[in-house]
Amino acid sequence: MGSAPRTGPGRGWLLRLVIAFAFAQGAVSMARPAVSYRALALGADETAVGVIAGVYALLPLFVAVPLGRRTDHGRCAPLLPLGVLLISGGCALSGLVPSLPAMAAWSGVTGLGHLCFVIGAQSIVARQSAPDEQDRNFGHFTIGASLGQLIGPVAAGALISGQGGVLGRTSALALLVSAGVCAAALTSLWRIEHRREGGARSRADGKVPVRTILGARGVPAGILISMAVLSATDILTAYLPVVGEHRSIAPATVGLLLSLRAAATIACRLVMTPLLRLLGRRALLTTSCLLAGALCAGVALPVSVPVLAVMLAVLGFCLGVGQPLSMTTVVRAAPEGARSTALALRLTGNRLGQVAAPAAAGLIAGAVGVAAPFVLLGVGLLGAAGLGLRGDGRTEPAPAPPEGAPMPPEGAPAPPKSAPTPPEAGAVPAKWRGRAAGGRSHPPPAP
């Protein structure tokens, strides 16, 4: 009776989490193009737009791992309302301040709020999902992000219009509205995290070193794939308005194009389970990254709006694979007592990509042309396809010790039942080292 309940996509906690995430991500997706348009109205060039987009991810780089450590040793839910408040404040003040440096600073606060929300939410999904439910639950969880990415750009495009001073006022209005949209997420943040007795017991033994987490097979590949996929989504959101300005595409049309991409991502995640059964994890991840890389490079071509719409729809479907599968890959590969920290490291990689990719995109756009960053994204996604091909492709979680076998603290031998340790060996088999003990590699003393 006291055990953690089984979870699934129809459970109330997951539905409420998806709704809250949709509001939070919708506000961010609405604010990102609005910030770009407001920066252009204040006199920013392509390079300055890239710098402001990069600052959004700069502050989270320094706090992701500490937040993950805190979540491993405590509750996840308090990070959710904190994230909502930071996002709302950052969006509102980005629309009120009159200078580019101040906009960049409040954009960083928005990014910090988004990080807090996502670390808390992903940790809840990882903690409350059975191993065979993780792909499905992470897929449904990321539908919240895709819903926000679907609605946010359309709302921003509907509110933003005009040029010069008018563009500055309408983009500021869009930022204020996005703050209100994010605040609505607070109405769904109740009874999301189940309290589990003894849940902190396995995490209280100590911190697993970051080096141990990064050394677990599958963690680096999951981080790099996620970085490439998110950088593509992020630069597409921030730079398609700039492409639209150069090609005389109206802001409302740009918003529809971005929402079409998000709708295709939702469609992908709704059919994720049958796709995994049909293709397998490795083939699905590799194929989606290859196609996404080719299509990202294709955005640089001066195609018509209908052709661009088709390309973005297929691109959105392909980009829908990487995020949920990389979450599951990292969670399964990480030591049990450090899964939130591993997810935080994945988010740190995401934010590093969000800092470096827009800055590089701004430099390239200023020197070569506004379409050039999309070629860079294509190259990054092709590299992610190679990582997916080299991945271990496991579908089962990392092995756990037999029931009743203690974790191997000092002085407590813990050989597996199926492979007893000979007296003269006095060592635990290699497959147990760094797995069952959360990264500890010392064997128990010989009898």
Side-chain angles (χ1 to χ4, degrees), residues 23 70 138 169 199 237 255 265 298 325 408 415 418 438:
F23 278 115
R70 178 226 171 265
F138 274 121
R169 288 195 297 273
T237 302
T265 298
L325 290 192
S418 59

Side-chain angles (χ1 to χ4, degrees), residues 16-25 28 67 76-87 110-124 141 144-145 182 185-186 188-189 192 347 351:
R16 290 191 293 275
L17 187 59
V18 168
I19 292 171
F21 195 20
F23 278 115
Q25 187 64 53
V28 171
L67 281 175
C76 312
L79 287 178
L80 304 183
L82 174 62
V84 169
L85 294 176
L86 289 173
I87 294 170
T110 303
L112 178 60
H114 189 257
L115 176 82
C116 290
F117 189 97
V118 172
I119 285 181
Q122 288 183 5
S123 298
I124 288 173
F141 165 70
C182 186
L186 293 172
S188 191
L189 296 178
I192 284 179
L347 289 171
R351 295 304 185 260

Side-chain angles (χ1 to χ4, degrees), residues 193-279:
E193 184 175 20
H194 300 311
R195 292 182 181 273
R196 298 192 305 172
E197 295 203 7
R201 181 162 27 96
S202 63
R203 299 186 295 275
D205 292 336
K207 297 179 180 179
V208 179
V210 169
R211 183 181 300 178
T212 300
I213 300 171
L214 292 175
R217 185 181 178 186
V219 170
I223 290 173
L224 292 173
I225 290 170
S226 177
M227 186 190 305
V229 171
L230 186 65
S231 294
T233 304
D234 201 60
I235 290 183
L236 195 64
T237 302
Y239 263 82
L240 199 61
V242 182
V243 172
E245 284 289 296
H246 280 257
R247 298 184 188 177
S248 300
I249 302 174
T253 304
V254 171
L256 287 173
L257 290 172
L258 289 172
S259 295
L260 178 63
R261 195 276 313 160
T265 298
I266 294 174
C268 171
R269 288 167 181 169
L270 287 173
V271 297
M272 180 78 70
T273 301
L275 284 175
L276 283 168
R277 288 198 207 102
L278 179 66
L279 298 175

